[in-house]
Amino acid sequence: MHTVVKGDYFQQLAEQYNVGFLALLAANPKHDPFLLKIGSQLVIPNEMLLPFITRKGIVINLPELRLYYFLPKENKVHVFPVGIGRQGLSTPLTSTTIGEKRKDPIWRPTKEMQDRHFAQYGKYLAKEVPAGPNNPFGKYALRLGTSEYLIHGSNKRFGIGMRASSGCIRMYDDDIKWLFDNVPLETKVRVINQPVKMSYENGEKQLIEIHQPLSELEVSKGNVILTQAMQRFVGTKREYWQQLLPVIEKPHGLVVELIK
């Protein structure tokens, strides 16, 4: 929890606690993100369940706008908020590796970016932008395989933890620097779509975490299985479904314990 003091606003708090802007918004639906009441309590969404996937390398779960890096020789995971592709320019689901690491990358807009910019503003972007404060890639970039998609920094504070990019994965400056320094080439990367995560804790507690599904991504076979798994996980207890119904209708991304 965070007690609001004078001058607090959502973007600043998202950076302070290293959580995504939309995650903070979803966790606090009754608060005005720009006019926070001094003394009020905000939920900081730091508790999470791990995605249902092999715990190896980098895992980016698009609906929750988070990147997980599982350390290769330790039972530890680092978690970061990320920005992903906006509607119409979705970040693709993929299984790949880190194919290249680049410090001070040069930004070269693709033909599609140039065409979109011209259609919207009547002029083309610069053919390339060198390293520096105007570079949309920030100071570091990691390439997914040999594709045009990157995990990179940003020259804008706004957009981390949101669907705001042209398909690449954006991170805060300190986060991408840590990833650049600590993640080796050929590290496995999986981009997944799991809006629902579930866990049995100590064989007793039943925990579930539901995020807003991405509207454009086709429902993959994995997600159909996940939906069936959710029905099996919750079971036939009326109390559980009554508890979950408001969350299913308006996901807040917080961990919920199913209580009889």
Side-chain angles (χ1 to χ4, degrees), residues 6 59-60 128 158 213 233 251 254:
K6 187 177 180 181
V59 175
I60 299 161
E128 65 178 43
F158 203 67
F233 180 81
L254 300 176

Side-chain angles (χ1 to χ4, degrees), residues 234-260:
V234 178
T236 57
K237 293 185 179 70
R238 183 186 295 271
E239 304 96 317
Y240 286 2
W241 287 109
Q242 287 175 338
Q243 187 182 351
L244 275 181
L245 200 58
V247 185
I248 292 169
E249 291 177 353
K250 194 167 185 179
H252 51 45
L254 300 176
V255 177
V256 173
E257 180 182 352
L258 298 179
I259 301 171
K260 294 178 183 178

Side-chain angles (χ1 to χ4, degrees), residues 83 86 104-110 113 117 125-141 150-160 164-166 168-173 176:
R86 60 186 179 270
D104 295 325
I106 295 171
W107 183 70
R108 297 182 178 91
T110 63
M113 287 181 189
H117 195 271
L125 295 161
K127 289 187 177 179
E128 65 178 43
V129 177
N134 296 320
N135 191 308
F137 284 163
K139 298 176 182 178
Y140 302 93
L150 306 172
I151 305 171
H152 63 78
S154 177
N155 64 340
K156 297 177 182 177
R157 292 170 61 201
F158 203 67
I160 311 302
S165 78
S166 295
C168 286
I169 294 134
R170 294 180 185 172
M171 300 182 73
Y172 288 128
D173 286 346
I176 187 64

Side-chain angles (χ1 to χ4, degrees), residues 35-219:
L35 292 170
L36 293 172
K37 186 178 179 181
I38 294 172
S40 61
Q41 295 279 306
L42 295 180
V43 175
I44 305 301
N46 274 331
E47 184 181 44
M48 66 201 73
L49 303 178
L50 296 177
F52 185 68
I53 196 165
T54 305
R55 295 171 185 175
K56 185 177 182 181
I58 290 173
V59 175
I60 299 161
N61 190 16
L62 297 179
E64 62 175 318
L65 296 146
R66 286 188 185 123
L67 180 151
Y68 296 83
Y69 175 54
F70 296 91
L71 295 182
K73 295 181 181 179
E74 296 181 57
N75 187 28
K76 186 182 286 188
V77 59
H78 290 266
V79 188
F80 306 97
V82 294
I84 65 171
R86 60 186 179 270
Q87 288 183 328
L89 297 165
S90 297
T91 302
L93 302 177
T94 186
S95 180
T96 182
T97 59
I98 297 296
E100 181 187 6
K101 296 169 65 173
R102 196 183 302 167
K103 186 178 179 180
D104 295 325
I106 295 171
W107 183 70
R108 297 182 178 91
T110 63
K111 182 181 183 302
E112 290 80 6
M113 287 181 189
Q114 291 282 20
D115 291 344
R116 283 198 305 272
H117 195 271
F118 185 82
Q120 190 169 358
Y121 300 106
K123 60 181 181 180
Y124 289 105
L125 295 161
K127 289 187 177 179
E128 65 178 43
V129 177
N134 296 320
N135 191 308
F137 284 163
K139 298 176 182 178
Y140 302 93
L142 309 177
R143 187 174 300 282
L144 300 186
T146 57
S147 74
E148 63 184 29
Y149 294 99
L150 306 172
I151 305 171
H152 63 78
S154 177
N155 64 340
K156 297 177 182 177
R157 292 170 61 201
F158 203 67
I160 311 302
M162 299 179 69
R163 297 189 69 182
S165 78
S166 295
C168 286
I169 294 134
R170 294 180 185 172
M171 300 182 73
Y172 288 128
D173 286 346
D174 289 347
D175 292 347
I176 187 64
K177 182 183 188 306
W178 189 93
L179 218 60
F180 184 91
D181 291 341
N182 289 279
V183 175
L185 286 170
E186 302 303 319
T187 294
K188 189 174 181 64
V189 180
R190 286 153 299 170
V191 182
I192 63 173
N193 177 21
Q194 283 186 18
V196 180
K197 299 182 294 177
M198 298 161 286
S199 177
Y200 287 102
E201 297 293 318
N202 302 320
E204 297 175 359
K205 289 184 180 180
Q206 280 181 260
L207 306 178
I208 190 164
E209 179 184 336
I210 303 175
H211 294 264
Q212 184 68 44
L214 298 181
S215 57
E216 294 174 330
L217 290 176
E218 292 179 8
V219 177

